Amino acid sequence: MSLAEVLSHIKVANPDDAGEIERIVTYFYESSPAKKGFAYQLFESLVVENRDLTFSRGAGGKMESTVHGYEITEYSKSFMENKVKISSNGVISEYTFAQALMHEIIHAVTGANDDGTPGADGIGNGGDYGMPANLTTPKYNYVGLTVALEQQIFAEAGIPNARASYHSTPYLNELENQLGVHMGESLTAGKEVGLVLLDDIAPLDTK
Ligand SMILES: [Zn+2]
């Protein structure tokens, strides 16, 4: 299989966006180790299963996709402006449109949702279930299925400072205004932490 075959299954409704979306797909495909890389396998599966992955701007107010429906139903570059991600060592870095689009592609192609797999006690969710009442709740999954795959893809691509959890993509101005910290700085003086930054300070979130 080849990149050209993968791109033949990428369908962009708005022709103005086709070039950029194809570049983003190409970047993640080519930065993933051939054959065994996760992004590589994800995109090759479009060819193997003969499925098209479609991109529509939709209302364009956020980033949204179908889970295992092979559709990015909404995307917005302006929504991603000034979005940042917080890594497990507290570092604030840009959460780019390309990175957020890859998150949506994971949903659309793999069927992973934003949730974690609950444990036997029913506890454990990184996504839409929100946060536990008590931050010391044991075995709570703050990451969820899709962000875990996103972390794996970013690691394979050599993208540093992947977001630590589902709830760690605030807007930069909120960090600057409310916490007085800036792009490239660490919230934890660079120390690796197990506690998660919430993005509840943000009115909107990518799904
Ligand atoms: Zn999501």
Side-chain angles (χ1 to χ4, degrees):
M1 275 172 274
S2 67
L3 173 62
E5 285 174 282
V6 169
L7 291 179
S8 74
H9 288 276
I10 301 297
K11 307 292 184 189
V12 181
N14 190 316
D16 292 346
D17 300 334
E20 179 169 21
I21 288 173
E22 287 175 7
R23 278 194 296 277
I24 291 168
V25 169
T26 299
Y27 166 77
F28 281 106
Y29 178 82
E30 292 192 329
S31 63
S32 180
K35 308 233 182 281
K36 59 183 192 296
F38 185 73
Y40 183 96
Q41 292 179 9
L42 181 157
F43 287 120
E44 292 266 303
S45 77
L46 298 174
V47 181
V48 172
E49 297 176 22
N50 195 26
R51 293 295 303 255
D52 287 343
L53 179 61
T54 65
F55 296 78
S56 306
R57 272 189 194 170
K62 55 186 174 181
M63 306 291 292
E64 195 140 282
S65 54
T66 59
V67 172
H68 214 215
Y70 294 84
E71 293 176 74
I72 311 304
T73 54
E74 203 169 324
Y75 60 85
S76 167
K77 291 185 76 170
S78 62
F79 178 75
M80 295 308 301
E81 278 174 23
N82 296 312
K83 266 275 190 191
V84 295
K85 57 189 184 298
I86 312 296
S87 71
S88 59
N89 56 0
V91 172
I92 302 162
S93 63
E94 191 182 3
Y95 192 50
T96 66
F97 174 68
Q99 292 167 3
L101 200 66
M102 190 65 231
H103 177 100
E104 300 306 330
I105 292 170
I106 296 168
H107 282 308
V109 176
T110 73
N113 59 21
D114 281 317
D115 302 336
T117 304
D121 53 4
I123 294 172
N125 202 290
D128 292 342
Y129 284 35
M131 305 302 296
N134 185 339
L135 287 178
T136 61
T137 301
K139 298 184 179 174
Y140 192 88
N141 183 344
Y142 295 90
V143 178
L145 295 171
T146 299
V147 171
L149 295 172
E150 175 185 325
Q151 291 168 338
Q152 184 181 341
I153 287 174
F154 287 13
E156 288 173 353
I159 298 170
N161 303 317
R163 63 165 141 167
S165 75
Y166 182 80
H167 296 277
S168 46
T169 57
Y171 284 100
L172 182 60
N173 63 313
E174 294 166 325
L175 294 176
E176 291 180 328
N177 295 342
Q178 297 181 38
L179 300 176
V181 291
H182 306 283
M183 186 74 86
E185 294 178 352
S186 170
L187 295 170
T188 62
K191 292 187 180 66
E192 186 88 13
V193 292
L195 188 63
V196 176
L197 180 91
L198 309 185
D199 65 355
D200 290 6
I201 55 176
L204 294 168
D205 186 24
T206 54
K207 292 291 182 191

